[in-house]
mmCIF file of all heavy atoms in Angstrom:
data_model
loop_
_atom_site.group_PDB
_atom_site.id
_atom_site.type_symbol
_atom_site.label_atom_id
_atom_site.label_comp_id
_atom_site.label_asym_id
_atom_site.label_seq_id
_atom_site.Cartn_x
_atom_site.Cartn_y
_atom_site.Cartn_z
ATOM 1 N N ASN O 81 9.858 -26.257 -14.250
ATOM 2 C CA ASN O 81 11.109 -25.692 -14.959
ATOM 3 C C ASN O 81 11.291 -24.194 -14.877
ATOM 4 O O ASN O 81 12.193 -23.801 -15.589
ATOM 5 C CB ASN O 81 11.214 -26.277 -16.296
ATOM 6 C CG ASN O 81 10.320 -25.560 -17.290
ATOM 7 O OD1 ASN O 81 9.189 -25.185 -16.875
ATOM 8 N ND2 ASN O 81 10.723 -25.370 -18.494
ATOM 9 N N PHE O 124 15.066 14.518 -19.397
ATOM 10 C CA PHE O 124 15.750 15.314 -20.388
ATOM 11 C C PHE O 124 16.863 16.092 -19.722
ATOM 12 O O PHE O 124 16.910 17.325 -19.768
ATOM 13 C CB PHE O 124 14.844 16.274 -21.186
ATOM 14 C CG PHE O 124 13.654 15.613 -21.738
ATOM 15 C CD1 PHE O 124 12.436 16.038 -21.476
ATOM 16 C CD2 PHE O 124 13.804 14.515 -22.562
ATOM 17 C CE1 PHE O 124 11.261 15.471 -22.018
ATOM 18 C CE2 PHE O 124 12.688 13.849 -23.198
ATOM 19 C CZ PHE O 124 11.441 14.396 -22.852
ATOM 20 N N GLU O 131 11.992 15.197 -8.233
ATOM 21 C CA GLU O 131 11.493 15.488 -6.876
ATOM 22 C C GLU O 131 10.171 16.252 -6.822
ATOM 23 O O GLU O 131 9.365 15.941 -5.978
ATOM 24 C CB GLU O 131 12.635 16.295 -6.210
ATOM 25 C CG GLU O 131 12.355 16.537 -4.712
ATOM 26 C CD GLU O 131 13.601 17.238 -4.127
ATOM 27 O OE1 GLU O 131 14.644 17.438 -4.738
ATOM 28 O OE2 GLU O 131 13.446 17.742 -2.962
ATOM 29 N N ARG O 201 -15.099 23.173 3.550
ATOM 30 C CA ARG O 201 -14.718 24.571 3.397
ATOM 31 C C ARG O 201 -14.273 24.898 1.993
ATOM 32 O O ARG O 201 -14.546 25.912 1.482
ATOM 33 C CB ARG O 201 -13.561 24.888 4.371
ATOM 34 C CG ARG O 201 -14.007 24.651 5.875
ATOM 35 C CD ARG O 201 -12.863 24.976 6.831
ATOM 36 N NE ARG O 201 -12.501 26.349 6.898
ATOM 37 C CZ ARG O 201 -11.327 26.772 6.502
ATOM 38 N NH1 ARG O 201 -10.454 26.062 6.030
ATOM 39 N NH2 ARG O 201 -11.087 28.081 6.603
ATOM 40 N N LEU O 219 -1.666 12.933 -27.827
ATOM 41 C CA LEU O 219 -1.680 11.536 -28.375
ATOM 42 C C LEU O 219 -1.116 11.480 -29.772
ATOM 43 O O LEU O 219 -1.950 11.093 -30.733
ATOM 44 C CB LEU O 219 -3.098 11.024 -28.272
ATOM 45 C CG LEU O 219 -3.707 10.959 -26.892
ATOM 46 C CD1 LEU O 219 -5.165 10.425 -26.965
ATOM 47 C CD2 LEU O 219 -2.985 10.057 -25.945
ATOM 48 N N ALA O 221 0.567 9.497 -31.379
ATOM 49 C CA ALA O 221 0.549 8.210 -31.995
ATOM 50 C C ALA O 221 -0.799 7.903 -32.654
ATOM 51 O O ALA O 221 -0.901 7.059 -33.561
ATOM 52 C CB ALA O 221 0.895 7.077 -31.040
ATOM 53 N N LYS O 293 19.915 -1.645 -29.679
ATOM 54 C CA LYS O 293 19.584 -1.949 -31.026
ATOM 55 C C LYS O 293 19.734 -3.479 -31.275
ATOM 56 O O LYS O 293 20.773 -4.020 -31.074
ATOM 57 C CB LYS O 293 20.399 -1.177 -31.974
ATOM 58 C CG LYS O 293 20.124 0.337 -31.936
ATOM 59 C CD LYS O 293 21.090 1.098 -32.891
ATOM 60 C CE LYS O 293 20.795 2.557 -32.795
ATOM 61 N NZ LYS O 293 21.733 3.347 -33.584
ATOM 62 N N SER O 299 17.917 -10.481 -31.212
ATOM 63 C CA SER O 299 19.202 -10.743 -30.448
ATOM 64 C C SER O 299 20.170 -9.616 -30.632
ATOM 65 O O SER O 299 19.987 -8.818 -31.610
ATOM 66 C CB SER O 299 19.761 -11.990 -31.071
ATOM 67 O OG SER O 299 20.238 -11.803 -32.384
ATOM 68 N N THR O 363 -8.102 5.976 -22.501
ATOM 69 C CA THR O 363 -9.251 6.356 -21.868
ATOM 70 C C THR O 363 -9.166 7.788 -21.444
ATOM 71 O O THR O 363 -8.045 8.243 -21.016
ATOM 72 C CB THR O 363 -9.673 5.462 -20.751
ATOM 73 O OG1 THR O 363 -10.881 5.829 -20.097
ATOM 74 C CG2 THR O 363 -8.575 5.331 -19.712
ATOM 75 N N GLY O 380 -16.221 7.554 -27.664
ATOM 76 C CA GLY O 380 -17.421 7.555 -26.833
ATOM 77 C C GLY O 380 -17.641 6.272 -26.072
ATOM 78 O O GLY O 380 -16.679 5.654 -25.786
ATOM 79 N N PHE O 398 -7.173 -14.196 -11.902
ATOM 80 C CA PHE O 398 -8.652 -14.254 -11.889
ATOM 81 C C PHE O 398 -9.175 -13.296 -10.725
ATOM 82 O O PHE O 398 -10.084 -12.558 -10.920
ATOM 83 C CB PHE O 398 -9.102 -15.686 -11.668
ATOM 84 C CG PHE O 398 -10.562 -15.855 -11.330
ATOM 85 C CD1 PHE O 398 -11.454 -15.677 -12.393
ATOM 86 C CD2 PHE O 398 -11.047 -16.103 -10.055
ATOM 87 C CE1 PHE O 398 -12.853 -15.784 -12.154
ATOM 88 C CE2 PHE O 398 -12.422 -16.212 -9.847
ATOM 89 C CZ PHE O 398 -13.210 -16.069 -10.823
ATOM 90 N N LYS O 416 -17.985 6.760 -6.088
ATOM 91 C CA LYS O 416 -17.074 6.794 -4.900
ATOM 92 C C LYS O 416 -15.753 6.135 -5.306
ATOM 93 O O LYS O 416 -15.704 5.257 -6.114
ATOM 94 C CB LYS O 416 -17.728 5.976 -3.726
ATOM 95 C CG LYS O 416 -18.834 6.758 -3.016
ATOM 96 C CD LYS O 416 -19.237 6.100 -1.786
ATOM 97 C CE LYS O 416 -20.354 6.928 -1.088
ATOM 98 N NZ LYS O 416 -20.880 6.242 0.084
ATOM 99 N N GLN O 432 9.399 15.015 -1.116
ATOM 100 C CA GLN O 432 10.710 14.401 -0.918
ATOM 101 C C GLN O 432 10.991 13.518 -2.165
ATOM 102 O O GLN O 432 10.063 12.938 -2.800
ATOM 103 C CB GLN O 432 10.641 13.467 0.276
ATOM 104 C CG GLN O 432 10.612 14.224 1.602
ATOM 105 C CD GLN O 432 10.229 13.370 2.707
ATOM 106 O OE1 GLN O 432 10.115 12.164 2.558
ATOM 107 N NE2 GLN O 432 9.944 13.992 3.842
#
Side-chain angles (χ1 to χ4, degrees):
Chain O
N81 75 325
F124 308 125
E131 187 177 349
R201 299 179 70 247
L219 300 178
K293 292 180 181 173
S299 69
T363 178
F398 172 73
K416 285 189 178 178
Q432 291 165 9

